[in-house]
Amino acid sequence: CLLNFGEGTRFRPEGRAGAVGYLVGGRGQGLAIMFHMMNEARMGVGLGAAAIASRSHLLSVDYAAQRAQGRVAGRDKAAPPDPIVAHADVRRMLMSQKCYAEGALALNLFCARLVDERDTAEDERGRAQAELLLGLLTPAAKTWSSEWGLVASDIAIQIHGGYGYTRDFDVEQLYRDNRLNPIHEGTTGIQGIDFVGRKLLRDGGAALDLMGGRIEDACRRADKDERLRPYAGDLASRWQEFRAAARSLQAMDRDAALANATEMLAAFGHIVVAWLWLDQAAAVSGLPGRERLAGAKLAACRFFFEAELPRVSRSLALAVSTSDAVAQIPTEAFA
């Protein structure tokens, strides 16, 4: 769609074709006011991306269970082909999708809970803490969900093979729909700048302290389960690594701190989703009658920690790098 302003069909200020504008906030506060106005929309984008990723995953699970191709190593070559879900690489892709889709959903549901707590907490302190934590998590809910939800949709096309990009199956449409989410309501780069510039550099770390408290609580609970204990230690270490990187950014020149803000947000998103997976696995561990659910949560938690969480160290190294390799790229290098 196209928005037209100033064609003069309704408003003619001073007798000329134009539009009437209203100043929201003070002069020079445009970006901050814009983010305040679009917070709900950003969370809506994250939830939409999680929903599309979830459908991409469910369609992939169904297709992988039905599509017969190849045989698992060791099987009789004369035997009928196995469904592709039996192959290790397909199982890896399906679990990646599950971690992205359900991780994004958990992140957005937690943010929704904070919205409720901001409005209904019993005291002002509780409402203020919910508001502070929600502000910290909003760019992650939008960006992590839209970036990795898109990856889940991309994997769906891969699992469907040659059919994946045809209209015979829904996944090509889902990919195109999900491709919009990293772009609108603030691109990924803008969310990174908001996260570092406004959330890390301005508030003195108060929101990070709240987030750290949630992570510490989850690690203490998980540490009681010997299956989850290694992941509790890993998460605690990654969080300390993130806090150290945040302190490094606070000591930098502002332009240098923002140069790789997207990587800082990427690391934060992965840490938060790791926390959510660990918290879920600990919550259902040992529940009577929920063994299947507990097994699924444990498998996803293990996969995310072993296959995904190592990305954090690389992103943090880039985020605090003082290299001018990006800033000094000559324009002609893009030709």
Side-chain angles (χ1 to χ4, degrees):
C1 65
L2 175 67
L3 299 177
N4 288 321
F5 294 103
E7 64 272 22
T9 55
R10 289 192 61 194
F11 299 103
R12 299 185 64 83
E14 299 180 357
R16 295 174 296 175
V20 178
Y22 299 91
L23 180 65
V24 179
R27 292 184 180 274
Q29 296 179 355
L31 190 63
I33 295 297
M34 179 193 71
F35 275 112
H36 178 73
M37 294 173 65
M38 67 190 289
N39 278 344
E40 183 178 351
R42 287 199 284 175
M43 288 185 282
V45 171
L47 185 59
I52 297 174
S54 296
R55 178 157 168 76
S56 299
H57 173 60
L58 293 175
L59 289 172
S60 298
V61 170
D62 185 60
Y63 183 83
Q66 297 182 42
R67 170 67 171 168
Q69 187 174 9
R71 295 166 186 82
V72 176
R75 283 202 64 200
D76 185 352
K77 293 183 179 180
D82 290 311
I84 62 174
V85 70
H87 300 298
D89 191 58
V90 174
R91 297 168 80 84
R92 175 190 61 80
M93 289 189 286
L94 290 171
M95 184 55 80
S96 294
Q97 283 183 312
K98 179 183 177 72
C99 286
Y100 301 148
E102 294 186 16
L105 179 60
L107 175 54
N108 282 277
L109 289 177
F110 182 70
C111 287
R113 175 178 175 173
L114 291 174
V115 171
D116 289 344
E117 291 179 356
R118 179 188 63 185
D119 297 334
T120 63
E122 294 182 356
D123 54 45
E124 182 59 35
R125 180 172 178 270
R127 293 191 291 272
Q129 288 184 346
E131 176 74 22
L132 196 59
L133 197 51
L134 181 63
L136 179 71
L137 287 171
T138 296
K142 192 277 181 186
T143 299
W144 198 93
S145 302
S146 59
E147 289 285 354
W148 294 100
L150 177 63
V151 174
S153 296
D154 180 65
I155 291 172
I157 293 178
Q158 185 71 15
I159 290 172
H160 281 69
Y163 292 114
Y165 57 90
T166 70
R167 292 186 179 180
D168 294 7
F169 291 86
D170 292 348
V171 292
E172 63 88 22
Q173 177 71 59
L174 294 173
Y175 178 85
R176 287 188 284 116
D177 289 345
N178 228 358
R179 188 60 191 86
L180 173 62
N181 288 316
I183 300 171
H184 71 151
E185 303 302 344
T187 63
T188 295
I190 292 297
Q191 303 297 331
I193 292 172
D194 171 53
F195 177 71
V196 172
R198 299 182 63 231
K199 306 300 168 35
L200 298 189
L201 300 185
R202 285 192 189 177
D203 79 352
L208 289 181
D209 290 341
L210 288 175
M211 188 72 249
R214 302 275 184 147
I215 289 174
E216 289 172 9
D217 289 344
C219 287
R220 278 195 295 268
R221 287 194 299 272
D223 194 59
K224 298 175 183 178
D225 188 326
E226 62 180 11
R227 298 170 301 175
L228 298 175
R229 190 171 298 133
Y231 309 129
D234 191 6
L235 179 58
S237 297
R238 302 287 181 180
W239 180 246
Q240 292 307 314
E241 188 180 356
F242 179 85
R243 291 302 305 261
R247 288 191 292 271
S248 295
L249 291 182
Q250 290 166 352
M252 286 184 185
D253 170 81
R254 182 177 175 82
D255 288 343
L258 295 179
N260 289 302
T262 299
E263 294 290 347
M264 195 67 176
L265 179 55
F268 179 72
H270 256 60
I271 290 172
V272 169
V273 173
W275 160 63
L276 290 165
W277 273 116
L278 184 65
D279 203 39
Q280 291 178 75
V284 298
S285 179
L287 287 180
R290 308 307 296 271
E291 290 81 10
R292 182 176 178 180
L293 176 62
K297 294 293 185 184
L298 177 61
C301 179
R302 177 184 178 187
F303 183 88
F304 194 86
F305 271 80
E306 295 184 7
E308 290 291 330
L309 200 56
R311 296 178 187 269
V312 166
S313 294
R314 175 188 174 276
S315 291
L316 291 177
L318 289 171
V320 300
S321 172
T322 56
S323 170
D324 61 359
V326 173
Q328 298 301 320
I329 297 175
T331 303
E332 56 269 21
F334 302 121

